[in-house]
Amino acid sequence: MIREILTYPNPKLRVISQDITEFDESLHMLLDDMYETMIHKNGVGLAAIQVGIALNALVINSVNENGEQIKEDLLEVINPQIIESDGIIVFQEGCLSVPNVYEDIERFKKIKVKFFDRFGNEHIKIYEDFMAIALQHEIDHLRGHLFIEKLSYLKRKKFEKEWKKRPKEKV
Ligand code: CO
């Protein structure tokens, strides 16, 4: 089921998400809906809070070298913790909760993440470049943060001015 995505400045996007303790059918339904919603909106990542659910769950589906977004590459991440980080990378990010805004953001280039899959199995994995960036962006959502908070003072002011003037989205 496609769910509604909350957009800035909805205050719910600032809520700190809670850890998941039950790896049950309702979690699987949430993850399936998040995937469907993300694909429907042409996104590559989505955190549960973006559909109004304050739980530590996120999905990322990167585009492969052939320019295709295939479900085999879908990564579902529950209760993530970044346990190591290294290097710096700047990448132009966007967000389904801040539609049509793209800004250069600085992130760690490489991270080691501990997380659980939908069945409650623990994983510790190293991600680099795009996957590291996407994970940091989505984990920020779980902590109540948006990428625009990382903009410089002047860029943020410019963003706020333009955001107020934006044409309202058709539903
Ligand atoms: Co986002």
Side-chain angles (χ1 to χ4, degrees):
M1 186 183 81
I2 292 166
R3 302 202 190 192
E4 190 194 338
I5 295 183
L6 308 181
T7 53
Y8 180 76
N10 190 314
K12 190 125 203 224
L13 290 167
R14 303 181 70 102
V15 171
I16 296 169
S17 293
Q18 302 300 306
D19 270 351
I20 286 161
T21 52
E22 307 284 336
F23 295 82
D24 57 8
E25 191 55 38
S26 72
L27 171 65
H28 295 178
M29 246 165 63
L30 171 66
L31 291 166
D32 291 345
D33 286 357
M34 285 167 62
Y35 171 75
E36 211 180 315
T37 304
M38 173 182 71
I39 295 297
H40 175 72
K41 288 283 187 178
N42 299 315
V44 290
L46 191 72
I49 193 62
Q50 292 180 275
V51 293
I53 308 293
L55 291 173
N56 284 325
L58 63 91
V59 293
I60 294 171
N61 199 350
S62 59
V63 174
N64 68 20
E65 55 269 28
N66 301 321
E68 298 163 332
Q69 190 178 28
I70 55 170
K71 201 172 181 181
E72 284 67 33
D73 292 327
L74 172 66
L75 178 66
E76 295 176 337
V77 173
I78 313 295
N79 303 345
Q81 304 264 18
I82 296 174
I83 50 179
E84 276 174 39
S85 54
D86 191 33
I88 296 289
I89 188 168
V90 176
F91 187 81
Q92 195 175 61
E93 296 186 19
C95 181
L96 292 176
S97 292
V98 194
N100 306 313
V101 174
Y102 302 92
E103 293 284 355
D104 280 349
I105 302 293
E106 194 177 288
R107 302 280 185 186
F108 294 116
K109 185 176 165 42
K110 190 174 173 181
I111 55 173
K112 188 190 244 186
V113 193
K114 175 170 114 74
F115 64 96
F116 296 86
D117 62 27
R118 63 159 63 202
F119 305 107
N121 303 307
E122 189 182 296
H123 301 267
I124 294 176
K125 284 189 180 166
I126 293 169
Y127 292 97
E128 273 190 86
D129 301 319
F130 178 81
M131 285 306 290
I133 292 162
L135 275 160
Q136 289 169 85
H137 177 113
E138 301 309 333
I139 291 169
D140 272 0
H141 275 298
L142 304 180
R143 316 292 191 240
H145 296 299
L146 295 173
F147 77 117
I148 49 170
E149 293 168 40
K150 295 176 87 75
L151 294 175
S152 68
Y153 177 76
L154 281 175
K155 277 193 168 175
R156 179 63 185 267
K157 265 182 79 167
K158 187 165 166 269
F159 159 76
E160 292 294 344
K161 206 172 148 191
E162 282 167 9
W163 187 252
K164 282 191 192 92
K165 289 191 303 197
R166 79 195 186 282
K168 289 285 174 264
E169 267 192 292
K170 314 186 272 293
V171 181

